[in-house]
């Protein structure tokens, strides 16, 4: 992986903040693609330690600069751990805008992939995922960096 990509993929801070800064003066926007209750994919259930077919909160978004998607993301949270967290009310706000305000937030290991997102047609060189913990709440956050971001920031293809 090129060092320029490593700085994005391995970062442990708020991706929302990084994208907003890198894309300035274009406005940052979250485009909600889908939000529902349903079973996570097998790999997602394993990452969260959930029994297969357990229901979860699922959310898919595009993180855009202007109208151009730079990142697509899919988040998965076990229903029984939501405990009053009204994540379904985020609308077109980023999950990171809420997560990174939690004082006890812990981020697990970052897993990197070159596989496509699977829920979005956009292509890109890298994806990553990690589990965030806040009290008794866990959420798997998966993010795929798109070719549009690489083009706009003159990042290498890999």
């Amino acid at each position: 992986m090129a060092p320029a990509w490593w700085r994005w993929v391995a970062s442990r801070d708020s991706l929302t903040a990084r994208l907003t800064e890198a894309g300035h003066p274009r406005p940052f926007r979250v485009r909600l693609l889908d939000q529902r209750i349903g079973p996570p994919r097998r790999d997602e259930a394993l990452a969260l330690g959930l029994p297969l077919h357990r229901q979860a909160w699922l959310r898919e978004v595009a993180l855009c600069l202007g109208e151009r998607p730079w990142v697509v993301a899919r988040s998965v949270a076990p229903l029984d751990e939501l405990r009053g967290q009204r994540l379904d009310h985020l609308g077109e706000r980023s999950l990171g805008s809420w997560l990174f305000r939690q004082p006890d937030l812990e981020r697990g290991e970052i897993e990197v992939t070159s596989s496509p997102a699977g829920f979005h047609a956009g292509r890109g060189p890298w994806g990553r995922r990690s589990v965030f913990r806040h009290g008794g709440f866990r959420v798997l956050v998966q993010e795929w960096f798109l070719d549009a971001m690489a083009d706009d920031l003159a990042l290498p293809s890999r």
Side-chain angles (χ1 to χ4, degrees), residues 70-126:
W70 276 16
V71 173
V72 291
R74 178 176 160 96
S75 302
V76 180
L79 278 184
D80 58 350
E81 294 180 16
L82 289 179
R83 296 190 190 107
Q85 308 293 349
R86 298 305 314 230
L87 299 180
D88 57 327
H89 289 188
L90 281 171
E92 297 214 332
R93 287 179 294 142
S94 74
L95 176 60
S97 69
W98 175 79
L99 273 177
F100 283 94
R101 286 194 325 257
Q102 307 311 312
D104 62 343
L105 182 68
E106 295 176 16
R107 183 177 198 161
E109 179 181 325
I110 296 174
E111 298 175 38
V112 178
T113 184
S114 59
S115 298
F119 68 91
H120 189 271
R123 291 286 192 193
W126 302 109

Side-chain angles (χ1 to χ4, degrees), residues 40-60:
R41 297 185 316 233
R42 185 178 196 286
D43 67 294
E44 294 169 335
L46 290 172
L48 286 164
L50 293 177
L52 296 179
H53 309 296
R54 174 78 50 96
Q55 296 292 296
W57 172 77
L58 309 171
R59 183 175 193 241
E60 297 167 357

